[in-house]
Amino acid sequence: VKQRFSYLRHSFGAFYRLVLDTFMKDVGMIVYADTDVVFLANLQDVPRSMRTISNNTDPLFAWGSTRCSGFMLLNVKQLPQLRGILHDVQDAVASKAVWKSHFGDQLLLREVASAHPNRVALLPSAWDISMADGVPTTSSEQVVRARPAVGMMHFNGGGTDLDAFFVKHKNL
């Protein structure tokens, strides 16, 4: 995909998760987390707490309702199917002019979720906390008080340009 689009926002590392099955054999669901995710609860219960949109017990992947790919469960056995779907939806994503300035892996995964909602599962809100979504607090202590079921916090930059990665975060 990266060779096709010169305006990709993420490095190849962000897309690396999509080929994990080439060297991880006989693995089911794994936890994927960006380097800016902090865990505040035990990860052991995340797969069991996954709620599927349909009765599909073998989803392609699972993420929170904000559809952020910085923390998700990936079904390694389903990655070949996911790559096939990604191939089918990439032109639809690329044609959306609004995304061309920051096209990335997350947008492809959102398109998969829109086109195949019965193949994607949702995680509880405790595993879907992103500082870029405007958590209305100034300290992590206030976040925990406001949302007692905090499993993780994603300190992603948000925004559409690299300033978000080099400027002090508004919520810190």
Side-chain angles (χ1 to χ4, degrees), residues 53-130:
I53 295 171
S54 68
N55 290 328
N56 183 355
T57 58
D58 197 28
L60 297 167
F61 60 89
W63 59 4
S65 62
T66 61
R67 302 185 324 159
C68 177
S69 64
F71 179 79
M72 60 192 306
L73 298 180
L74 278 174
N75 190 336
V76 176
K77 291 180 181 178
Q78 294 283 346
L79 286 177
Q81 289 182 0
L82 177 57
R83 285 193 301 272
I85 295 170
L86 287 169
H87 184 269
D88 293 343
V89 301
Q90 65 183 343
D91 289 333
V93 174
S95 69
K96 296 177 181 176
V98 68
W99 298 117
K100 286 192 177 184
S101 65
H102 56 282
F103 181 87
D105 60 313
Q106 181 167 288
L107 299 176
L108 285 168
L109 293 170
R110 284 181 176 190
E111 191 69 27
V112 169
S114 294
H116 302 276
N118 60 331
R119 302 292 314 274
V120 178
L122 287 178
L123 297 173
S125 62
W127 298 99
D128 189 28
I129 300 173
S130 172

Side-chain angles (χ1 to χ4, degrees), residues 7 17 47 163:
Y7 43 83
R17 69 184 108 177
D163 285 347

